[in-house]
Amino acid sequence: MGDTNAAAAAPAPALGLTKPNAVDPPQVTFAAKDVEFSGWNGDLLAVAVTEKDLQSRASDSKFENTVLQKLDGQLGDLLSAAAVEEDFTGKPGQSVVLRVQRQAFKRAALVGFVAHNAGCLQGLGESVAAVAKAAQAASAAIVLASPNVIRGELKLNAAAAIASGTVLGLHEDGRYKSECKKVHLKQVDLIGLGSGPELDQRLKHANRVSSGVMLGRDLVNSPANVLTPAALAAEAAKIASTYSDVFTATILDAEKCRELKMGAYLGVAAASANPPRFIHLCYRPTDGNVKRKLAIVGKGLAIVGKGLTFDSGGYNIKASPVATIELMKWDMGGSAAVFGAAKALGQIKPPGVEVHFIAAACENMISGTGMRPGDIVTASNGKTIEVYMYPVDNTDAEGRLTLADALVYACNQGVDKIIDLATLTGAMRVALGPSISGIFTPNDELAEEFVAASLVSGEKFWRLPLEESYWEDMKSGIADMLNTGPMQPKGGAIAAALFLKQFVNEKVQWMHIDIAGTVWSHKKRSATGFGVATLVEWVLKNSSS
């Protein structure tokens, strides 16, 4: 089984004397109620408004929407006057807030949104969270000005999306600040979206998934002088111990990885003073009845260097401004999504499915023992890889080497399907930008079920081709293959996916997801937790099928 105790006693970080403070994530209780909103008792009554709700106003600027009319009349027309003065049109992100008197609620707010998909509804929750934080509200209610904007069969998922957005909107990573802001909001009522046990269960589900997303964010946000490979392994082992009824953990050290002939992975890790950890969590349902086996493989790089943590690029050091060397702590975003999903599923406990969560964690550094351009490494399936020297991606094309051995390991678990996630290529950031991740798979059925899961989660993905003719440029004259080809950076994301395909058993359904563009929000200067929610929904679809 390997060294299962290697992660349990991760060393305290020595560099910079930095330790994260213990900060509790937001804990919000949601309730779906069929009550008259005007008499709701609490701190903040938030009315969700679309642009259409405000398009037809009377000449005196009064609302024509019946819900808004009723609330405005109750408040002496103050709400309509404030909406005009602040030019509130119902666009997403807009809000108007009034402090009111002689009402059961202390504040009333109009919050703009659109109801196109789950992502937009999450945005509504985030907007309400922002208003609640500013007001230091402990309780809030959300009501739609036009309830029919969401069809009846979609209300369960809509309520979950709003709840998820609210929790994630409250989340701020204050672990590395000397003072952390307190989260006041504890109770949120959803009015007009129905009620009953099924809806209550969906709201609990949203909370569980959100806890996984927050873990994913926190892992990526952590600097690599704190989140070393051993520390990441400790986080994974913590999940297994917390949900020990369904999880077991196996942590492999470098010696065990050598026994398994993981030469590609160990080649990347060779220069670091922090030893690698190969992490394997296994989820098995409590009843032991397994219909399907899945593997979720994450690129695990805890990145460090020069007193700050980042993927140095190895001897081909990241010198280009577009390489974002200062943000290379995000290069373990795939493994963050993997363990965030594991945490959520440990709470949900889906039946009938066995899931392996795998991350080959290490640092890509520079030293006399490090991997050089032109070296040849041998993966655990026996295939040889030349660390190619043209033009820029060579020792810096390290993530695919760690994934190669991780994918071989995953196939050896006897799984039916594999998904890998990685912040793999700058080409993906160029191609699809900051909101959409690229997916690659030769299997149409797997692509369809994953896209269906993303419609529930609200995360965006786009399927790109596995153009086999590009593989000709990845062939080496002295080894089986190159880690990058002379086409780079043109078609770089496709070439990287074709490389990974060489390490997957053809009998296994496989998908590669490049999250290089979506793992980080430059606007918020923080991790997104992207991928967690869709992975959870994908596992649940396989559980129920």
Side-chain angles (χ1 to χ4, degrees), residues 120-135:
C120 295
L121 292 167
Q122 285 181 3
L124 168 60
E126 291 175 2
S127 295
V128 172
V131 172
K133 281 196 291 187

Side-chain angles (χ1 to χ4, degrees), residues 281-309:
L281 298 185
C282 182
Y283 170 92
R284 291 186 177 90
T286 52
D287 61 7
N289 182 20
V290 174
K291 296 182 294 183
R292 182 161 290 159
K293 292 185 178 183
L294 309 175
I296 304 176
V297 183
K299 173 184 174 185
L301 291 176
I303 28 195
V304 69
K306 295 185 180 178
L308 303 171
T309 53

Side-chain angles (χ1 to χ4, degrees), residues 26-32 118-129 142 150 155-171 185 187-190 193 199-211 213-214 457:
Q27 301 288 337
V28 183
T29 300
F30 292 91
C120 295
L121 292 167
Q122 285 181 3
L124 168 60
E126 291 175 2
S127 295
V128 172
I142 304 173
I150 298 173
K155 286 188 176 180
L156 282 174
N157 287 341
I162 294 169
S164 178
T166 303
V167 174
L168 296 177
L170 293 172
H171 177 244
L185 191 61
Q187 174 70 40
V188 175
D189 295 334
L190 302 179
L193 288 173
L199 184 48
D200 290 340
Q201 190 60 35
R202 285 295 295 172
L203 293 175
K204 288 180 181 178
H205 173 80
N207 248 331
R208 290 164 175 165
V209 174
S210 297
S211 73
V213 175
M214 288 186 286
S457 73

Side-chain angles (χ1 to χ4, degrees), residues 392-459:
V392 291
D393 287 331
N394 14 66
T395 61
D396 191 25
E398 82 300 327
R400 64 198 70 184
L401 298 179
T402 68
L403 279 170
D405 281 325
L407 287 167
V408 173
Y409 181 94
C411 288
N412 289 339
Q413 306 308 308
V415 298
D416 303 306
K417 303 177 184 181
I418 295 176
I419 286 180
D420 76 73
L421 301 94
T423 51
L424 206 58
T425 66
M428 183 54 59
R429 290 161 57 199
V430 173
L432 296 182
S435 300
I436 307 169
S437 283
I439 59 176
F440 300 84
T441 178
N443 189 278
D444 293 339
E445 178 186 350
L446 181 56
E448 290 171 4
E449 72 180 35
F450 191 80
V451 170
S454 74
L455 295 177
V456 178
S457 73
E459 295 178 323

Side-chain angles (χ1 to χ4, degrees), residues 93-110:
Q94 283 189 318
S95 62
V96 174
V97 185
L98 291 180
R99 183 72 167 89
V100 299
Q101 296 179 338
R102 295 183 294 277
Q103 303 293 333
F105 45 90
K106 297 177 182 177
R107 284 178 173 82
L110 301 180

Side-chain angles (χ1 to χ4, degrees), residues 462-482:
W462 191 264
R463 189 180 182 186
L464 293 164
L466 281 166
E467 178 52 55
E468 291 291 343
S469 66
Y470 290 4
W471 184 245
E472 289 300 313
D473 291 313
M474 297 289 288
K475 293 180 178 179
S476 168
I478 56 173
D480 292 328
M481 68 192 78
L482 308 170

